[in-house]
Amino acid sequence: MPGHRGVDPPTLLVAHGCWYPSADPTGEHVAFICDRAGVPQLWSGPARGLEVHVLDGGPDPVTEVSWSPDGRWIAYTSAPGGGEHTRVLVVRPDGTGRQVLAGAEPGSSAHLGCWARDGKALAVTVAHPSRAAPEHAGPGHLPPEPERGSPAGVRTPGSRRSERDGPALGPARSGGLAAYLVDPDATTAPVLLLSEEGAASLRVCDMSADGRFALVRRGPRGRREALVLDTAARRTTFDLHVADGDPWIGRFSADARTLWLRSDAEREFAALLRVRLDEEGRSRGLSVAAERENSALDLVSVPDHGRWAVLAWNAHGATELERVGLTPDHTDSDTGPRHHPVLPHEVVTRIAPVDRGGLFAALSGSRRRPGIWELDEALVPARTGWSARDEDAVPPGRPPVRPVPLSCEARDGLVLGGWYYRAPDQDPGRPAPCVIHLHGGPEEQERPVFNPLYHELLGRGLDVFAPDVRGSSGRGRSFVDADLGAGRFAAIDDVADCAAHVVSLGYADPLRLGVMGRSYGGYLTMASLVWHPDLFRAGVAVCGMSDFATFFAGTEPWIAQSAAAKYGHPEHDRELLRALSPMSRVDQLRSPVLAVHGEHDTNVPPTESEQFVRAARGRGVLAQQLTLRNEGHEFLRADNRRLYRRAAADWLEHHLRPAPS
């Protein structure tokens, strides 16, 4: 690109991933995240060319990207040291002018919000010190706005900061969150939009064209809300329950008289809702604009002009994409014509529409690495030249494996599902060693996307069954809520029932079963090993909680807020949480276990793995821990991900491959 000043790294990976696209206003250039240098970094380049450039070649992983509507800035979040504390930066499209807007001070954290429609301000959410507020203040009653130019260290006019400068926004001392509008040019003072003590989440998803109204998502998991804020009167004019999942929940129409919202309010599956608003931002009526039976709306994306929307539906784990026309009047008439493109791969993870028509979509499939595709106005997809080729997905001589869907019944009759991966060259008539892999969340969903870990295990001759136990998304709100409270004991039993099912089908050898998972899946792994000690021969627990009491004491305040809504309150539900903690039954552990953790994980602190390994060793059980340097709760660096995959595969191959005695 002309004037580009970034420095491309000397060594680039052939088998890389590209994701999270954001187009400039013309649709001719795209900013995106790519790990071709070994760590997720900010890249940009022409949509139809090959000459892409890295805009931030630093060692800190990039997690989100957003190009400003006026084309002058690219905003993004990065995670210093690979940890959970993130900061928000902006950079010019030519690689100049990089500066930190929020989250630079040690201990602070900041998250990306939306741009104002004119591109002159960016919404950011930060961990915020306690502020005086009315005694009974809730999200509809905002605290007094601080003095202009001095809100808790927000960058003010005349205080431009480079990436190496000091703090932009202050650290969290009370677990509160606050949302600001910040001018990247530092010509106007930051504006406080909303502040909430003890908040679990807070994100500004959209601003009306005149800046009067803001759409905010707030609340803990399972109890998310959409708020419409009147930024002038500083009050909430509308609120509604919205679904978990993608935080970008909706958009205002161009005249702010209609709000398009992805919500599962009073329904099993999220749909596109139409909220008609009056001049004061109050609801004049709510209706369903688009829905599908037994399919949830995963993603919704609406261009600024608001004439059409792109919807991504979750159809049993795969994505069905459609573009629908949005009616310009203020009635509850049906949406306009619908177009359904045929996708080259199974899952869409991000949509970036272009005002002139068409869009960019991040796609992932069971046999390819994540890539970005351009869909023209007729929604015909074409792979961008800088996304990895399908044939480069796995090492030569090891073809990718397409999984098959499986359904099974839990002991209480609840129907579970998942995906089974059969190792290449496996004797079809002979039960094989099998690893039950458990996803995190617990509200995540197992989907048919390329997973290098699975292919590492398959290359060792180990089958993989990746189930959705109760608490997973994709099967409706009732299924997600089925693990709440004491229902988590049933979720632990689901793991055993899934293992029994693949054994009954003749796929898996009952004497060579392993279990592993990350985050909540790491918790379920430890729980399965101590609740069903004779079922699994080995386990790999990654970033899992071993004791809810120590987890709540050590995690981030806003994470604790969401976790309490999901698992139980650390005080009110103390006995239930103790009973659900793997440490309370560690004396039942029989199988060798490998624990893996990122050293900078402040979501689930590394002490959760350490105490489980220590207790296992104290009882004479083989246990080891692998600590990954410069990683947090997610493993984002190519060398660490490779180390983790090989260590896990070595461990499971060693304990599952030998013939049973």
Side-chain angles (χ1 to χ4, degrees):
M1 295 176 62
H4 172 73
R5 297 186 183 180
V7 179
D8 289 342
T11 303
L12 301 179
L13 302 175
V14 173
H16 61 269
C18 298
W19 61 97
Y20 219 110
S22 184
D24 75 349
T26 69
E28 298 299 321
H29 290 84
V30 185
F32 57 95
I33 300 174
C34 185
D35 64 357
R36 64 196 304 182
V39 61
Q41 295 174 324
L42 177 65
W43 289 69
S44 178
R48 299 168 197 88
L50 300 176
E51 297 300 321
V52 291
H53 305 278
V54 62
L55 294 180
D56 187 342
D60 298 333
V62 173
T63 57
E64 291 182 303
V65 181
S66 181
W67 207 313
S68 67
D70 60 7
R72 297 188 310 115
W73 292 102
I74 299 172
Y76 61 106
T77 55
S78 72
E84 303 312 300
H85 288 214
T86 56
R87 59 183 182 175
V88 175
L89 303 93
V90 290
V91 66
R92 299 286 188 186
D94 65 358
T96 63
R98 184 165 59 241
Q99 55 185 295
V100 180
L101 290 189
E105 186 170 325
S108 68
S109 194
H111 304 278
L112 187 66
C114 69
W115 285 96
R117 294 287 181 103
D118 60 7
K120 294 181 179 179
L122 176 70
V124 296
T125 298
V126 297
H128 194 64
S130 178
R131 289 190 178 278
E135 183 178 356
H136 302 291
H141 301 276
L142 308 184
E145 186 173 359
E147 292 183 13
R148 296 278 177 158
S150 59
V154 179
R155 199 196 64 199
T156 56
S159 63
R160 177 179 298 275
R161 298 177 185 274
S162 72
E163 188 181 13
R164 295 180 298 276
D165 283 338
L169 294 177
R173 293 195 291 269
S174 64
L177 298 176
Y180 294 92
L181 274 179
V182 182
D183 173 14
D185 293 308
T187 58
T188 60
V191 176
L192 176 67
L193 295 175
L194 176 64
S195 179
E196 185 178 358
E197 291 296 314
S201 68
L202 201 65
R203 187 186 292 250
V204 181
C205 299
D206 194 26
M207 299 285 296
S208 61
D210 61 4
R212 179 179 176 185
F213 298 111
L215 172 63
V216 177
R217 191 195 74 154
R218 67 169 296 277
R221 296 182 309 191
R223 299 207 298 266
R224 308 286 193 197
E225 289 182 297
L227 305 179
V228 174
L229 300 179
D230 185 327
T231 60
R234 299 183 54 74
R235 61 185 176 86
T236 300
T237 63
F238 171 79
D239 63 87
L240 185 72
H241 175 88
V242 292
D244 284 324
D246 187 70
W248 305 102
I249 55 175
R251 293 209 79 187
F252 293 107
S253 62
D255 62 1
R257 298 298 297 276
T258 302
L259 173 63
W260 304 100
L261 203 59
R262 182 182 67 87
S263 171
D264 61 355
E266 300 183 358
R267 46 195 314 114
E268 276 291 309
F269 294 92
L272 180 65
L273 302 187
R274 177 196 295 106
V275 185
R276 290 185 290 133
L277 303 174
D278 64 17
E279 293 181 355
E280 302 301 318
R282 296 184 295 259
S283 173
R284 297 178 55 244
L286 186 151
S287 60
V288 177
E291 64 179 334
R292 290 195 179 187
E293 185 176 2
N294 297 326
S295 292
L297 181 59
D298 272 350
L299 305 171
V300 56
S301 190
V302 183
D304 283 349
H305 57 62
R307 295 190 298 271
W308 47 267
V310 182
L311 310 177
W313 298 94
N314 185 333
H316 308 292
T319 297
E320 293 182 359
L321 198 66
E322 72 174 349
R323 187 175 65 192
V324 301
L326 301 180
T327 53
D329 55 23
H330 303 298
T331 67
D332 291 338
S333 56
D334 290 337
T335 52
R338 301 188 176 194
H339 303 276
H340 305 270
V342 176
L343 299 175
H345 298 287
E346 292 98 322
V347 178
V348 175
T349 61
R350 184 64 44 192
I351 303 168
V354 180
D355 278 354
R356 58 170 170 75
L359 59 109
F360 294 92
L363 301 184
S364 190
S366 58
R367 297 189 290 180
R368 69 157 289 111
R369 290 181 182 269
I372 296 174
W373 292 65
E374 182 179 11
L375 282 71
D376 62 17
E377 293 188 51
L379 297 188
V380 176
R383 182 175 62 85
T384 56
W386 23 267
S387 293
R389 302 176 304 168
D390 292 357
E391 53 266 36
D392 296 325
V394 295
R398 187 188 298 174
V401 175
R402 182 185 293 275
V404 296
L406 285 186
S407 293
C408 60
E409 190 173 292
R411 62 192 64 184
D412 62 358
L414 186 65
V415 177
L416 313 173
W419 299 86
Y420 197 91
Y421 296 76
R422 189 71 167 175
D425 303 324
Q426 204 81 274
D427 184 346
R430 184 177 181 180
C434 179
V435 178
I436 308 298
H437 186 275
L438 306 165
H439 65 66
E443 308 92 340
E444 292 178 15
Q445 179 187 11
E446 191 64 39
R447 309 189 71 170
V449 297
F450 182 80
N451 189 326
L453 170 65
Y454 294 175
H455 289 281
E456 184 76 38
L457 296 171
L458 295 167
R460 308 292 186 96
L462 307 176
D463 285 6
V464 176
F465 181 42
D468 286 319
V469 300
R470 70 191 68 203
S472 306
S473 60
R475 294 174 174 263
R477 286 183 63 183
S478 298
F479 194 88
V480 171
D481 293 342
D483 68 344
L484 296 180
R488 200 155 313 282
F489 291 111
I492 297 171
D493 287 338
D494 286 348
V495 181
D497 294 341
C498 288
H501 181 67
V502 292
V503 168
S504 70
L505 293 175
Y507 295 169
D509 185 338
L511 298 181
R512 292 188 289 172
L513 290 172
V515 62
M516 73 171 297
R518 195 194 68 81
S519 191
Y520 176 73
Y523 159 78
L524 270 188
T525 295
M526 290 185 278
S528 299
L529 291 173
V530 299
W531 259 271
H532 303 284
D534 299 321
L535 181 59
F536 299 105
R537 289 192 61 177
V540 179
V542 186
C543 300
M545 304 90 73
S546 61
D547 189 306
F548 280 110
T550 54
F551 162 71
F552 275 107
T555 190
E556 301 284 358
W558 57 90
I559 294 175
Q561 289 289 333
S562 274
K566 192 65 184 177
Y567 304 122
H569 193 278
E571 294 297 331
H572 306 154
D573 303 308
R574 182 181 303 175
E575 289 305 312
L576 172 63
L577 292 176
R578 186 195 65 79
L580 285 168
S581 297
M583 286 295 292
S584 69
R585 296 175 58 93
V586 73
D587 60 319
Q588 299 296 310
L589 183 66
R590 303 286 185 272
S591 302
V593 59
L594 170 67
V596 185
H597 228 108
E599 68 167 336
H600 298 315
D601 190 349
T602 58
N603 183 326
V604 178
T607 50
E608 293 299 303
S609 287
E610 294 166 5
Q611 63 192 7
F612 193 78
V613 167
R614 188 165 54 247
R617 290 174 174 173
R619 287 158 178 77
V621 178
L622 178 63
Q624 294 183 12
Q625 179 163 344
L626 170 63
T627 300
L628 298 178
R629 305 302 177 191
N630 294 315
E631 297 286 7
H633 197 59
E634 302 280 350
F635 304 154
L636 300 176
R637 305 178 191 279
D639 53 349
N640 280 330
R641 293 171 70 91
R642 185 163 48 248
L643 173 61
Y644 155 58
R645 292 196 303 267
R646 291 177 178 174
D650 286 346
W651 184 267
L652 292 167
E653 181 183 21
H654 175 74
H655 293 288
L656 302 185
R657 286 287 293 171
S661 58

